[in-house]
Amino acid sequence: MNTPSNEDQVAAVFARVLGIDASQVTDELRYNTIPQWDSIAHMSVVAALEEAFGVMIDMDDVIDMSSVGKAREILRKHGAAT
């Protein structure tokens, strides 16, 4: 059985929480550029990423998480994604 890579898992979390197709999730996808990723959904994405990767994301990083690529960078900083 194949376990999704951390990169795939990040995309899967965004797709699931935002209710969009995984093919729409690219590192360039930015907060507030699609209707599904508003401030409420942002907090749900953060909570889902914390759960999926077993990390606690501090408020500065929550505010700084402006794109999927930035989310990956923040997760790497916490030692969660490769």
Side-chain angles (χ1 to χ4, degrees), residues 14 27-31 37 64-71:
F14 272 89
D27 282 358
E28 290 72 38
L29 181 63
R30 300 187 70 77
Y31 170 69
W37 194 357
D64 203 28
M65 194 181 293
S66 56
S67 68
V68 174
K70 188 67 177 177

Side-chain angles (χ1 to χ4, degrees), residues 60-74:
D60 287 342
D61 285 336
V62 169
I63 293 165
D64 203 28
M65 194 181 293
S66 56
S67 68
V68 174
K70 188 67 177 177
R72 292 186 200 284
E73 184 182 310
I74 289 166

Side-chain angles (χ1 to χ4, degrees), residues 16-45:
R16 177 176 51 80
V17 173
L18 298 178
I20 60 176
D21 192 83
S23 66
Q24 291 181 262
V25 181
T26 66
D27 282 358
E28 290 72 38
L29 181 63
R30 300 187 70 77
Y31 170 69
N32 260 342
T33 58
I34 59 172
Q36 295 90 331
W37 194 357
D38 60 13
S39 59
I40 294 169
H42 188 71
M43 296 312 295
S44 296
V45 165

